[in-house]
């Protein structure tokens, strides 16, 4: 088995590696390091994020740099500021035992003259984002005309982000005889074009299969209807209480909405998208890195270059158009040998796209069923028990204890536990399989043969939620609690299901009822096969409702 020593790395680097705790080189490191150290060559390495590619080019680059000269010898281009800082940081750690080596990061959104000053002091290695570098070359703050090594990291992402022209211009300012090392997770035609135009007979190294996701990632999908995505997200989160995840949306508005809802529901979430200023994005990313935020809700562009280890879940709130984007998204998890899960929420019609992803990426994406309401509740109860057991005793409350114990003296332990449980979970009603509106995604299908479903023209505008509307219907119709279920309240109207034996009663009972000066109207819905109604049904009802006003 290869060791870092057998790859030809010098003692300073070996010392840093030992300190870092890297025990064995990864596949990309085994394949790339000797190649770059032994020969003066151009290289195309197809490797995913998380495979250890930064060290694969970083170690040889640090070893090959001439520290006696202060001239810029190595240039690393990266798609985003985050990745640029990450690479700079990684290289500085790797170079901790090397004297006289300066690595400078240059990226947009920060003070340009500060960066120029650092370059002027001498920087053998520059790590840069393309836009800022081009600007600094134009202003003659940077001289890359004598570089010996040029690394294009995440080349596909740089091209995805529209840096093609910038990269071409930058490469034109570099000498022909340099060595170019290109790293990319995928091989779109533009990457091939850059390679053809700017590299000479590059050696090629492929880690895993091109375009495949890392094997540490488990992929799965849930079929959800359009309006069930958020409930599905909450279910996934509640089943994975230690989740540290990234939720991908397609639009800024969606990221904002989802994160607001999550925050409202008590989760530590934040959105990152193009409308945030660089400073705002930085502070969100910093909170995420420090795990002050548990869920980062992101658009694809804003999330490029997110290089945070330990992400446990990627959630594709909406599927991207491009399969490559799916690769980038899921590549944010399953890093550094850890296991990750990439979850897709897809509508029935998007299942075709999932089959295509499976085929193109040569992966399995099995369908998962949303767990039953019972499983979710069980899980919540387990968490509740766990939290109670782990609670640290607050000694300030000790003096109240005798009084409290006295108050509960006549209640036996089992009943007390039952009371606590009922209080904590009072909104959950397993018999009816009905939950509050946020959890509707988990409603079980009910045998509709014995039931009828009704539309009623009262709703949230009349200050009802599903609970209070159910109470009203029960008392008004004077029927058994279990004979009415699946109450769903919209703004202007609601639905409820009822045992068929009461159908005539329902149709008759509301004939003369007025509410808020409106005649209450109840209608049988078309025989719905399942509990959920379609959006077109909702729209129709909305139109009808307007006539009621
Ligand atoms: P990268 O693909 O460069 O983004 O690396 C992903 C993660 O793997 C980083 O956190 C590195 O610190 C870590 N890493 C790189 N090489 C090794 C190694 N040989 N053993 C263990 N971890 C590594």
């Amino acid at each position: 088995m290869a060791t870092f020593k057998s790859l030809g790395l010098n003692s300073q680097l070996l010392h840093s590696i030992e300190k870092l705790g890297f025990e064995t080189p990864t596949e990309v490191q085994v394949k790339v390091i000797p190649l770059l150290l032994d020969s003066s060559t151009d290289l195309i390495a197809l490797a995913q994020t998380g495979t250890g590619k930064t060290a694969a080019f970083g170690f040889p680059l640090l070893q090959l740099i001439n520290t006696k000269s202060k001239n810029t010898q190595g240039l690393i281009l990266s798609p985003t500021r985050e990745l640029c800082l990450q690479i700079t940081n990684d290289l500085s750690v790797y170079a901790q035992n090397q004297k006289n080596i300066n690595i400078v990061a240059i990226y947009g959104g920060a003070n340009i003259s500060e960066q120029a000053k650092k370059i002027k002091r001498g920087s053998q290695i520059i790590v840069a984002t393309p836009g800022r570098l081009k600007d600094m070359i134009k202003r003659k703050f940077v001289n890359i005309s004598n570089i010996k090594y040029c690394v294009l990291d995440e080349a596909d992402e740089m091209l995805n982000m529209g840096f093609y022209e910038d990269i071409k211009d930058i490469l034109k300012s570099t000498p022909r005889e340099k060595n170019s090392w290109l790293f990319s997770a995928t091989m779109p035609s533009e990457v091939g074009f850059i390679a053809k135009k700017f590299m000479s007979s590059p050696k090629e190294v492929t880690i895993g299969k091109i375009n495949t996701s890392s094997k540490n990632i488990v992929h799965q999908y849930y079929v959800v209807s359009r309006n069930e995505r958020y409930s599905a997200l909450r279910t996934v989160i509640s089943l994975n209480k230690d989740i540290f995840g990234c939720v991908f949306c397609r639009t800024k508005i969606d990221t904002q909405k989802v994160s607001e809802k999550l925050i409202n529901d008590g989760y530590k979430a934040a959105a990152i998208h193009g409308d945030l200023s660089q400073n705002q994005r930085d502070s969100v990313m910093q909170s995420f890195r420090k795990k002050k935020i548990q869920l980062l809700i992101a658009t694809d562009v804003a999330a490029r270059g997110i290089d945070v280890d330990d992400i446990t879940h990627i959630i594709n709130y909406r599927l991207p158009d491009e399969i490559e984007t799916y690769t980038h998204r899921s590549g944010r998890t399953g890093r550094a040998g850890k296991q990750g899960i990439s979850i897709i929420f897809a509508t029935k019609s998007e299942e075709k796209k999932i089959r295509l992803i499976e085929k193109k990426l040569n992966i399995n994406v099995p369908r998962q069923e949303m767990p039953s309401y019972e499983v979710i509740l069980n899980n919540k109860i387990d968490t509740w028990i766990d939290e109670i057991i782990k609670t640290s005793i607050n000694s300030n409350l000790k003096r109240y204890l005798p009084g409290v114990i006295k108050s509960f003296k006549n209640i036996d332990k089992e009943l007390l536990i039952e009371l606590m449980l009922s209080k904590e979970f009072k909104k959950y009603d397993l018999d009816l399989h009905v939950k509050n509106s946020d959890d509707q995604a988990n409603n079980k299908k009910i045998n509709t043969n014995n039931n009828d479903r009704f539309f009623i023209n009262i709703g949230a505008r009349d200050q009802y939620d599903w609970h209070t509307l159910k109470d009203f219907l029960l008392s008004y119709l004077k029927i058994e609690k279990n004979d009415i279920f699946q109450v769903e309240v919209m703004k202007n109207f609601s639905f409820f299901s009822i045992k068929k034996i009461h159908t005539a009663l329902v149709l008759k009972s509301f004939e003369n009822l007025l509410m808020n000066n409106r005649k209450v109207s109840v209608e049988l819905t078309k025989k719905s096969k399942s509990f959920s109604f379609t959006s077109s049904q909702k729209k129709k009802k909305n139109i009808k409702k307007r006539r009621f006003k």
Side-chain angles (χ1 to χ4, degrees):
M1 198 169 59
T3 61
F4 283 108
K5 198 171 176 186
S6 70
L7 301 182
L9 295 175
N10 64 25
S11 58
Q12 287 113 312
L13 284 167
L14 291 176
H15 195 50
S16 305
I17 291 167
E18 203 181 312
K19 267 200 189 163
L20 275 165
F22 294 178
E23 284 170 4
T24 46
T26 64
E27 187 185 349
V28 67
Q29 291 160 3
V30 171
K31 287 186 173 164
V32 164
I33 294 173
L35 206 67
L36 300 183
L37 285 178
D38 290 350
S39 56
S40 175
T41 181
D42 282 359
L43 169 83
I44 295 178
L46 292 169
Q48 311 276 334
T49 305
T51 51
K53 63 182 171 57
T54 313
F57 64 75
F59 291 157
L61 184 63
L62 289 167
Q63 188 155 321
L64 292 165
I65 290 294
N66 174 9
T67 49
K68 290 195 183 108
S69 158
K70 280 194 165 184
N71 290 345
T72 301
Q73 301 158 50
L75 169 68
I76 302 166
L77 286 178
S78 93
T80 63
R81 175 189 162 115
E82 284 83 18
L83 186 59
C84 170
L85 286 166
Q86 183 77 37
I87 296 170
T88 311
N89 185 50
D90 284 358
L91 293 198
S92 308
V93 174
Y94 302 158
Q96 59 189 289
N97 298 307
Q98 276 172 281
K99 282 199 187 105
N100 305 323
I101 192 145
N102 279 323
I103 306 155
V104 175
I106 61 179
Y107 47 83
N111 189 312
I112 198 162
S113 33
E114 283 298 318
Q115 293 178 351
K117 259 189 228 161
K118 282 190 190 160
I119 301 277
K120 214 169 170 195
R121 273 183 236 135
S123 52
Q124 292 100 336
I125 299 175
I126 291 178
V127 190
T129 52
R132 173 56 63 98
L133 179 63
K134 203 177 139 186
D135 195 9
M136 291 184 77
I137 294 171
K138 215 165 78 192
R139 300 202 208 180
K140 302 211 178 338
F141 287 155
V142 172
N143 177 7
I144 52 168
S145 61
N146 291 311
I147 59 165
K148 291 195 161 61
Y149 310 99
C150 178
V151 183
L152 301 170
D153 193 21
E154 302 206 355
D156 49 354
E157 292 219 7
M158 284 200 279
L159 296 167
N160 271 344
M161 290 173 76
F163 285 135
Y164 182 64
E165 291 301 324
D166 287 347
I167 293 172
K168 257 181 19 189
D169 289 347
I170 290 166
L171 292 180
K172 278 184 202 154
S173 313
T174 61
R176 269 189 166 275
E177 53 281 10
K178 70 185 177 301
N179 289 328
S180 299
W181 307 337
L182 182 152
F183 286 76
S184 192
T186 58
M187 195 63 193
S189 48
E190 297 100 313
V191 173
F193 192 67
I194 289 265
K196 225 182 208 164
K197 197 164 162 62
F198 293 100
M199 298 171 95
S200 65
S201 326
K203 297 214 165 95
E204 283 193 29
V205 167
T206 303
I207 307 305
K209 284 197 182 90
I210 303 177
N211 267 343
T212 56
S213 296
S214 149
K215 48 181 175 292
N216 293 332
I217 305 170
V218 172
H219 303 260
Q220 43 188 235
Y221 78 98
Y222 293 95
V223 171
V224 295
S225 71
R226 275 174 210 290
N227 53 355
E228 282 174 349
R229 283 180 210 271
Y230 183 70
S231 335
L233 177 62
R234 282 203 47 182
T235 304
V236 167
I237 299 169
S238 71
L239 289 174
N240 299 281
K241 65 183 167 56
D242 294 325
I243 190 170
F244 178 55
C246 195
V247 180
F248 281 97
C249 299
R250 288 170 59 134
T251 64
K252 290 171 205 167
I253 293 172
D254 261 4
T255 57
Q256 202 63 49
K257 273 192 196 156
V258 172
S259 81
E260 274 167 19
K261 277 190 189 174
L262 286 171
I263 292 164
N264 246 339
D265 288 336
Y267 296 100
K268 287 182 274 172
I272 185 164
H273 54 71
D275 278 358
L276 299 184
S277 70
Q278 191 64 51
N279 278 347
Q280 290 167 329
R281 285 179 50 181
D282 282 351
S283 69
V284 171
M285 280 311 298
Q286 209 173 14
S287 307
F288 189 53
R289 269 202 193 94
K290 290 186 176 159
K291 302 206 171 149
K292 286 183 188 159
I293 289 170
Q294 198 180 4
L295 294 153
L296 185 69
I297 325 300
T299 55
D300 289 298
V301 171
R304 291 230 165 92
I306 287 179
D307 196 14
V308 178
D309 286 342
D310 304 333
I311 291 182
T312 58
H313 289 73
I314 294 299
I315 296 170
N316 294 269
Y317 196 75
R318 279 175 197 276
L319 264 177
D321 283 333
E322 304 286 328
I323 290 182
E324 272 163 24
T325 310
Y326 180 76
T327 310
H328 292 312
R329 287 180 177 186
S330 52
R332 304 287 188 260
T333 185
R335 296 161 66 85
K338 292 188 181 117
Q339 198 75 30
I341 300 178
S342 175
I343 292 174
I344 301 170
F345 295 152
T347 56
K348 199 90 192 78
S349 61
E350 284 174 325
E351 277 188 294
K352 273 189 263 132
K353 210 162 168 182
I354 290 175
R355 302 284 88 87
L356 205 67
I357 289 177
E358 284 185 316
K359 209 166 134 201
K360 284 252 169 112
L361 304 185
N362 193 18
I363 54 171
N364 252 337
V365 189
R367 177 175 171 167
Q368 303 289 310
E369 293 306 324
M370 271 297 162
S372 69
Y373 181 49
E374 201 156 342
V375 171
I376 296 170
L377 186 52
N378 240 312
N379 208 281
K380 281 185 192 282
I381 292 173
D382 281 350
T383 309
W384 175 74
I385 295 169
D386 227 44
E387 277 170 7
I388 291 180
I389 292 171
K390 285 186 190 147
T391 302
S392 39
I393 302 265
N394 181 349
S395 53
N396 294 332
L397 298 173
K398 261 214 155 73
R399 61 198 147 116
Y400 300 104
L401 206 57
V404 177
I405 290 172
K406 202 171 152 202
S407 308
F408 289 134
K409 205 176 73 192
N410 295 328
I411 306 177
D412 75 30
K413 186 178 160 187
E414 238 163 70
L415 180 60
L416 186 60
I417 292 174
E418 198 178 345
L419 289 171
M420 282 163 60
L421 187 69
S422 304
K423 181 172 185 304
E424 182 71 23
F425 294 95
K426 63 171 176 257
K427 64 179 180 186
Y428 295 87
D429 193 342
L430 261 185
D431 285 344
L432 304 179
H433 305 295
V434 175
K435 305 163 290 304
N436 69 28
S437 60
D438 271 349
D439 287 335
Q440 278 160 7
N442 306 304
N443 272 317
K444 282 184 175 174
K445 286 186 179 174
I446 278 187
N447 176 6
T448 53
N449 291 340
N450 303 323
N451 315 315
D452 272 326
R453 189 146 180 82
F454 283 89
F455 162 87
I456 185 163
N457 67 335
I458 55 179
R461 64 172 163 172
D462 306 297
Q463 270 76 50
Y464 281 112
D465 60 19
W466 72 269
H467 225 295
T468 49
L469 181 63
K470 192 182 150 189
D471 286 345
F472 161 70
L473 293 171
L474 283 174
S475 66
Y476 189 74
L477 296 168
K478 297 190 178 55
I479 56 176
E480 286 291 306
K481 189 177 162 205
N482 288 358
D483 289 356
I484 178 161
F485 38 88
Q486 293 182 329
V487 181
E488 207 174 13
V489 176
M490 306 286 123
K491 190 172 169 227
N492 297 331
F493 57 89
S494 307
F495 292 93
F496 59 93
S497 293
I498 211 153
K499 286 201 174 151
K500 261 191 181 7
I501 42 165
H502 302 303
T503 298
L505 171 76
V506 173
L507 289 170
K508 209 170 122 251
S509 301
F510 294 93
E511 270 173 0
N512 298 315
L513 182 66
L514 280 177
M515 187 174 290
N516 297 331
N517 293 326
R518 277 192 338 267
K519 190 175 173 312
V520 173
S521 154
V522 170
E523 296 166 26
L524 261 172
T525 63
K526 279 186 193 156
K527 281 245 176 309
S528 46
K529 285 213 172 65
S530 76
F531 159 59
S532 291
F533 46 88
T534 63
S535 53
S536 63
Q537 267 175 305
K538 273 184 193 169
K539 268 184 209 147
K540 266 189 212 153
K541 291 292 174 195
N542 258 327
I543 294 162
K544 213 169 200 175
K545 194 62 238 110
R546 271 179 224 127
R547 283 196 224 116
F548 285 138
K549 282 186 177 170

